[in-house]
Amino acid sequence: MKCPNCSSTNIGKLSANQYYCWDCFIELTLEDGKLSLSQVEEDGTLTTLDDLFKASELEAKANGF
């Protein structure tokens, strides 16, 4: 598995379909074969980053999920 944002393999599992990149601090959610990326804000809320990536970059298979 690799992070679509920083290409790191330092990915931890939060739950069944949620992962966390320990290098760029991005939360990844796997849903229907696609990843959704979110930035965790200081207050704990999530801000989506999906609009920064092409659809092909968010495909789970392309990132080893």
Side-chain angles (χ1 to χ4, degrees), residues 14-56:
L14 297 175
S15 67
N17 293 325
Q18 289 186 310
Y19 302 87
Y20 188 78
C21 178
W22 289 101
D23 289 337
C24 68
F25 314 110
I26 299 295
E27 187 174 303
L28 304 97
T29 303
L30 179 61
E31 197 171 308
D32 297 327
K34 298 213 182 253
L35 292 171
S36 178
L37 278 63
S38 300
Q39 178 177 334
V40 182
E41 302 295 340
E42 287 182 16
D43 64 359
T45 60
L46 297 175
T47 303
T48 185
L49 300 175
D50 292 347
D51 58 338
L52 301 176
F53 297 91
K54 297 177 187 172
S56 61

